[in-house]
Amino acid sequence: MYTILVYDTATERNAAVLRTCRKYLRHQQRSVFEGELSTAQMHRLRTELEQRIDRAYDHILVYTFPPGTDPRRQSWGRPDDQPHDIL
Amino acid sequence: MPATSRTYWLTTPCRLRRQDDSIRVERDGHPPTFLPIEDVRDIIAAAEVDLNTSMMSLLNKHRIQIHILGYYGDYAGSFLPAETAVSGTVALNQMRLASDDEHALPIARALIDNAAFNIRWVIDRKLLTRSYGVLKESIAEATTREQLMAAEGNFRRNAWEALDTKLPDWLQLDGRSRRPPRNAGNAVISYINGILYARILSALRLTPLHTGIAFLHATMQRHRHSLALDLAEVFKPLFAERILIRLANRRQLKPQHFDINTNQAMLSESGRKLIVQTVRDDLAETVKHRTLGRNVSYDELIYLDALALTRTCLEGSTYAPFRVWW
């Protein structure tokens, strides 16, 4: 399922959260990630992240879209339309 | 095939490095790109690529294959994870079938027949009707693999000629040539075939089949993955010839997509990008499958064929290779 993840964590934990997310999703900007995840991958990502954050202070938001659908996306300002799987 | 992970394509020279248990791609003139390791199914490197040991152990851990295409777009080799799905029972049965002409010849015959059918569908039904008839007769009479291959060669030659009538002068093949391809048309065909071979190999590695034991091509010849060559026969026309004709008709292919020297031609960087993008989009294209009753992508068709072959080796069901039905 298509997933958008946004995190808001304390500065000292940012790097660890970023590194973890990078294994699963594409880094869109600052604290925003998106990409395709299976249910199993989602569970693994959640477990990994929960070990790294302070659950009393940090907050992570995850939006998912029903399988087979992609969110309609607009980007304003400097565009980022490169296909990400062809380098 | 897991639907959530995808194939990554490298068309510019790059260096792959391991960072934080994921992949960092470094390219000249670009900031480093990070690939989510969980999202990678396999990598097709169509340009110069630099790998190191820690990268390879990471790929191995996540069972990611990397296929490398050479300078002219021909298949140069792969890094395959140590763990394979090959099963002894299936491999032994496969070997039994492959070494016994009584079982191998019908499979080889079906491969050639359906490959020719697909070529004819892609190029021109009318122009190739006669050659296809001749081919059907000669494969029915053939009693060895060599005779089958020869019949296929004759048909292919006619098909190349028919293909030339569909192409503008500068893209005409003028006979098939490889390593190096002699002209622009041949460069495109070689390139797409190389990519397809890699894709088929990826699909075969997911099945318990042994990639070295083939039914049409000589088994383990020069240690190539002969079985991938077998399957490629039926899928090549759907991609190589079809994409060449389409890109030529739409005038999408331009001389700047090639580096042409006397007697040899290859795709330039922009050309490689165009072809890779087209192949990638085509692999995702879907058709309604008649027995499954749902839409399947061309990519999945390859995997389904590999599974059908597995079933043949395991249960002795008749293998009907992919034949265009739409």
Side-chain angles (χ1 to χ4, degrees):
Chain A
M1 60 202 139
Y2 202 87
T3 306
I4 297 176
L5 182 147
V6 188
Y7 65 81
D8 191 356
T9 48
T11 329
E12 64 267 26
R13 287 186 291 273
N14 277 346
V17 172
L18 178 91
R19 280 200 295 268
T20 309
C21 292
R22 244 184 210 153
K23 287 195 273 183
Y24 294 84
L25 297 161
R26 267 176 294 128
H27 193 196
Q28 281 309 331
Q29 58 181 46
R30 291 260 167 80
S31 55
V32 182
F33 280 86
E34 63 177 76
E36 198 80 34
L37 284 186
S38 67
T39 319
Q41 286 171 333
M42 178 72 84
H43 276 294
R44 261 182 287 152
L45 175 61
R46 182 172 176 178
T47 333
E48 274 192 58
L49 281 175
E50 279 180 343
Q51 286 164 0
R52 282 176 178 76
I53 58 172
D54 174 1
R55 296 184 64 177
Y57 183 85
D58 302 327
H59 189 217
I60 295 175
L61 264 175
V62 179
Y63 300 87
T64 56
F65 296 81
T69 59
D70 286 343
R72 207 165 292 165
R73 182 160 171 267
Q74 300 182 34
S75 84
W76 300 340
R78 212 185 69 200
D80 166 37
D81 288 330
Q82 293 281 319
H84 63 276
D85 54 350
I86 300 179
L87 297 164
Chain B
M1 281 195 257
T4 45
S5 52
R6 69 206 77 240
T7 303
Y8 278 78
W9 312 78
L10 309 177
T11 58
T12 37
C14 51
R15 174 178 300 153
L16 299 185
R17 286 293 177 265
R18 179 176 185 160
Q19 187 181 327
D20 309 324
D21 268 349
S22 200
I23 306 173
R24 187 180 75 224
V25 185
E26 297 168 1
R27 292 173 294 167
D28 283 341
H30 292 271
T33 318
F34 293 87
L35 307 186
I37 187 92
E38 294 273 341
D39 190 46
V40 185
R41 183 175 59 203
D42 52 2
I43 300 174
I44 297 185
E48 202 82 357
V49 61
D50 177 348
L51 295 162
N52 60 10
T53 310
S54 63
M55 184 67 225
M56 294 223 192
S57 37
L58 179 73
L59 292 174
N60 189 36
K61 192 173 136 201
H62 288 268
R63 300 196 198 101
I64 296 168
Q65 317 175 28
I66 172 159
H67 303 293
I68 295 162
L69 302 185
Y71 189 69
Y72 296 108
D74 49 327
Y75 174 77
S78 304
F79 168 75
L80 302 173
E83 188 189 303
T84 74
V86 175
S87 123
T89 325
V90 174
L92 277 175
N93 274 334
Q94 188 187 353
M95 201 179 75
R96 239 170 257 141
L97 292 186
S99 57
D100 181 3
D101 273 355
E102 195 193 317
H103 296 290
L105 277 182
I107 296 177
R109 209 171 274 139
L111 279 169
I112 289 185
D113 186 358
N114 290 5
F117 182 90
N118 295 345
I119 294 173
R120 179 174 159 234
W121 178 81
V122 166
I123 297 179
D124 194 314
R125 249 171 242 234
K126 265 208 194 104
L127 270 180
L128 289 172
T129 308
R130 224 180 67 85
S131 328
Y132 183 58
V134 174
L135 175 88
K136 281 208 102 153
E137 274 172 36
S138 42
I139 56 173
E141 287 163 11
T143 49
T144 63
R145 289 184 190 194
E146 287 69 32
Q147 286 171 355
L148 282 172
M149 296 279 256
E152 196 235 354
N154 288 335
F155 177 80
R156 280 267 183 195
R157 261 189 297 282
N158 291 330
W160 300 129
E161 275 168 31
L163 179 60
D164 277 352
T165 64
K166 305 265 155 191
L167 297 171
D169 285 348
W170 72 281
L171 277 175
Q172 283 178 8
L173 299 178
D174 203 14
R176 185 82 176 93
S177 53
R178 14 184 118 84
R179 265 173 275 170
R182 266 203 301 276
N183 48 39
N186 272 302
V188 174
I189 299 269
S190 284
Y191 207 74
I192 300 179
N193 284 347
I195 294 176
L196 194 61
Y197 180 79
R199 287 295 317 126
I200 292 176
L201 191 54
S202 281
L204 281 176
R205 290 275 297 188
L206 295 173
T207 70
L209 292 169
H210 192 291
T211 54
I213 302 170
F215 298 94
L216 172 60
H217 293 85
T219 290
M220 295 281 247
Q221 193 189 26
R222 286 176 288 145
H223 295 279
R224 298 274 290 216
H225 304 279
S226 315
L227 190 60
L229 293 174
D230 274 11
L231 278 188
E233 289 294 333
V234 284
F235 286 103
K236 273 195 282 193
L238 184 62
F239 293 92
E241 282 87 348
R242 186 153 162 264
I243 287 174
L244 178 60
I245 294 176
R246 192 174 70 213
L247 291 182
N249 284 344
R250 293 188 186 163
R251 287 168 216 224
Q252 270 176 287
L253 274 175
K254 304 207 166 65
Q256 71 258 27
H257 289 130
F258 297 92
D259 293 330
I260 299 174
N261 289 319
T262 37
N263 235 4
Q264 69 175 57
M266 57 182 288
L267 288 158
S268 65
E269 202 173 305
S270 61
R272 265 192 299 229
K273 228 171 205 146
L274 172 71
I275 296 293
V276 162
Q277 225 153 51
T278 317
V279 174
R280 181 197 64 163
D281 293 346
D282 267 30
L283 281 168
E285 208 170 293
T286 57
V287 284
K288 177 101 173 180
H289 196 282
R290 285 179 305 186
T291 43
L292 291 179
R294 62 174 169 91
N295 285 337
V296 292
S297 63
Y298 288 5
D299 202 19
E300 205 179 341
L301 284 178
I302 297 177
Y303 181 57
L304 289 175
D305 241 46
L307 286 183
L309 203 49
T310 314
R311 228 166 288 130
T312 305
C313 293
L314 211 54
E315 299 163 1
S317 57
T318 321
Y319 170 56
F322 165 69
R323 177 191 269 248
V324 179
W325 67 77
W326 56 90

